[in-house]
Amino acid sequence: MESGLISVDRWRKGSQAYFLTHLHSDHTRGLSGEWSQGPLYCSRTTASLFPSRFPGFDLSLLRVVPLSSWRSLSLRSPSSGSSVRLHFMAIDAHHCPGSVMFMFRGDFGCFLYTGDFRWDCEGEDGARTTLVSAIKEFPVDILYLDNTYCNPIYSFPSRQVAAHLVADIIASHPCHDIIIGIDSLGKEDMLLLVSRLLNIKIWVWPERLRTMHLLGYQDIFTTDTSLTRVRAVPRYSFSIQTLEGLNMMCPTIGIMPSGLPWLKRPSNGVGDGKLLSGSLLTASTLPCRKQLPAGVHQFHDYMYSVHYSDHSCYEEIGEFVNLVKPKSMKGIVVSSACYVEPLYYFGRICRVSQPPELLLLRPDTAEQFRAVRIKSFSGNDETIDKEREKRLKRDGYSSFKRNKKRSRIQVKRAKISEID
């Protein structure tokens, strides 16, 4: 595919159409209420959340893409000026509300971009049925893969099993308040199952309650702390210090649902250690306080970690790649401390030679990988020239700063276009 046609989870100018897989902040870096580079294609759920996430955004730019059906649009070749026909389809990614994978096809071949995804669907799941049907007719040339946990050290249970583990921890502490660390979007199914199993309401912060209502959950969540002892709090506020402070008022435990092991940095004799995530060390390297079920670890008197993830684990990634059987593939996560090029483990499925060693960052060698402008967690653009790439690395990507300014949410009266 020629550069300058489309961008996926990338928001700088230079493309004719933009595609958003989901609304997590690492995929929307560069989007704002003032963004207006071109039409933006996303799922219906994602579109419904836009006004609250990006106040002032021109909703007429949104194009709602239905699941599991091919759509097409006409683009213009930047080099020749000739018409280019692009066919695309959205497939449920099972990551968070509104998340989708995008399949693109045309004269350039067929690409599949997973975005973040969890491939734990079984049986007659719509996403699996759609994908199997699509790849049978249009074999995938390049797979852009969520390789967050593309490492054999990562193995965790299904989300339903993990949610039951969370409920069991809560039930085993009947006299404790409970706090659960979550993000601003995602893990709703876990909270819903916990609520149903224990017949309780769950407290969330006001902005999160607004999101729950937009998603259609009206009666389970509350901002009234007197109605429940279980609170879902922002992940960034979840810490040992917070738990210790809460325990000075009443018995409280914390539960962190995450696919990553949570480890404790040595304190060097000064104060308490801090929790870290993302280490290659497994949870078994730390002593547990007591015998616990598989998938549950206790790293502090007040803190539990449960292996609940909205990303595919290594085994699920392997199953997915074996199903798709792309001619080649590229991981979309390039800044993780445990990054492994997917071809290292799964290149045999693509019928390519296995790399001789684990490489933290494998340089692109195929021009096709640069054709679709894609997002990466490090924030750099796969189509920038080598000099700009070197400068960004030297500066440590200092130009990317989070805008903390809050503004009143104003839902703009504009039509959100449907894709015919």
Side-chain angles (χ1 to χ4, degrees):
M1 183 190 295
E2 185 178 0
S3 180
L5 294 176
I6 68 171
S7 292
V8 184
D9 291 347
R10 175 195 174 277
W11 310 108
R12 298 180 193 142
K13 64 181 180 180
S15 296
Q16 299 171 45
Y18 296 80
F19 292 81
L20 174 61
T21 59
H22 66 289
L23 274 174
H24 279 164
S25 60
D26 51 331
H27 291 251
T28 60
R29 189 177 294 121
L31 270 181
S32 68
E34 293 75 36
W35 186 91
S36 59
Q37 301 300 334
L40 190 157
Y41 296 82
C42 62
S43 69
R44 178 180 298 279
T45 298
T46 294
S48 70
L49 296 173
F50 245 83
S52 62
R53 292 303 175 102
F54 301 106
F57 189 88
D58 183 358
L59 300 182
S60 67
L61 295 173
L62 296 183
R63 305 290 187 270
V64 174
V65 183
L67 294 176
S68 304
S69 59
W70 287 105
R71 296 294 185 267
S72 62
L73 67 152
S74 294
L75 304 172
R76 187 68 58 183
S77 169
S79 59
S80 66
S82 61
S83 177
V84 177
R85 196 69 174 172
L86 175 72
H87 304 274
F88 61 94
M89 178 167 59
I91 304 172
D92 195 338
H94 295 298
H95 175 67
C96 69
S99 63
V100 293
M101 300 183 272
F102 282 110
M103 181 175 278
F104 303 98
R105 62 179 177 86
D107 293 338
F108 52 84
C110 183
F111 298 164
L112 176 60
Y113 187 94
T114 68
D116 291 346
F117 81 122
R118 178 77 194 264
W119 195 250
D120 60 355
C121 49
E122 298 178 353
E124 297 301 317
D125 176 79
R128 177 181 290 273
T129 301
T130 297
L131 183 62
V132 168
S133 176
I135 61 179
K136 183 179 297 185
E137 186 175 3
F138 305 104
V140 173
D141 295 302
I142 300 179
L143 170 64
Y144 293 93
L145 178 69
D146 174 12
N147 56 316
T148 302
Y149 293 127
C150 187
N151 193 310
I153 68 171
Y154 292 119
S155 177
F156 30 78
S158 70
R159 283 177 287 192
Q160 186 174 28
V161 169
H164 275 84
L165 293 174
V166 172
D168 290 343
I169 295 173
I170 297 173
S172 66
H173 294 78
C175 298
H176 285 69
D177 282 357
I178 312 292
I179 63 171
I180 304 173
I182 63 171
D183 295 312
S184 60
L185 184 66
K187 297 184 172 61
E188 290 80 9
D189 288 342
M190 178 195 71
L191 297 177
L192 289 169
L193 183 56
V194 168
S195 173
R196 180 175 62 81
L197 290 173
L198 302 179
N199 193 28
I200 57 172
K201 287 182 176 289
I202 296 177
W203 181 95
V204 293
W205 63 102
E207 291 179 354
R208 196 59 158 96
L209 183 65
R210 185 186 306 117
T211 298
M212 294 300 193
H213 286 172
L214 288 172
L215 293 173
Y217 308 129
Q218 302 295 331
D219 302 322
I220 295 173
F221 302 98
T222 180
T223 55
D224 187 344
T225 55
S226 67
L227 297 179
T228 180
R229 66 186 181 95
V230 178
R231 287 171 284 167
V233 303
R235 180 190 287 263
Y236 63 78
S237 69
F238 193 96
S239 68
I240 290 292
Q241 290 75 18
T242 299
L243 287 168
E244 289 176 338
L246 291 171
N247 272 276
M248 295 178 67
M249 296 179 286
C250 65
T252 304
I253 63 165
I255 303 173
M256 177 58 73
S258 176
L260 289 170
W262 286 75
L263 303 180
K264 194 173 182 180
R265 177 192 293 139
S267 62
N268 296 324
V270 180
D272 292 325
K274 296 181 178 179
L275 288 180
L276 299 175
S277 65
S279 172
L280 286 175
L281 297 175
T282 62
S284 60
T285 61
L286 293 179
C288 289
R289 308 274 169 158
K290 57 185 178 181
Q291 189 66 35
L292 295 167
V296 178
H297 301 278
Q298 185 177 8
F299 299 139
H300 187 276
D301 288 338
Y302 310 137
M303 179 173 287
Y304 292 83
S305 174
V306 176
H307 285 181
Y308 185 105
S309 178
D310 288 323
H311 294 267
S312 298
C313 65
Y314 175 79
E315 182 179 358
E316 292 164 347
I317 292 174
E319 195 275 338
F320 181 80
V321 173
N322 192 56
L323 175 66
V324 176
K325 288 184 171 61
K327 293 180 181 178
S328 190
M329 68 180 121
K330 180 176 178 60
I332 64 173
V333 180
V334 298
S335 65
S336 172
C338 60
Y339 174 81
V340 176
E341 170 60 56
L343 286 174
Y344 179 83
Y345 287 117
F346 306 118
R348 65 189 183 281
I349 300 176
C350 303
R351 297 178 296 281
V352 299
S353 299
Q354 181 175 345
E357 60 182 350
L358 292 176
L359 300 177
L360 291 181
L361 291 174
R362 286 174 52 85
D364 292 337
T365 56
E367 189 62 29
Q368 280 182 302
F369 282 150
R370 299 182 180 273
V372 180
R373 296 184 174 186
I374 64 172
K375 156 266 172 194
S376 67
F377 289 153
S378 60
N380 55 315
D381 178 353
E382 297 295 336
T383 62
I384 59 179
D385 58 39
K386 293 181 179 180
E387 290 303 318
R388 177 170 172 77
E389 187 173 9
K390 289 179 181 178
R391 178 169 60 81
L392 285 173
K393 289 182 178 179
R394 183 179 66 250
D395 296 341
Y397 309 111
S398 60
S399 62
F400 295 102
K401 296 183 179 179
R402 184 171 299 174
N403 181 4
K404 297 181 180 295
K405 183 178 180 181
R406 294 180 177 272
S407 60
R408 180 173 298 178
I409 295 176
Q410 296 177 342
V411 179
K412 194 170 183 179
R413 291 189 178 182
K415 181 181 179 181
I416 299 178
S417 300
E418 300 283 345
I419 301 298
D420 295 327

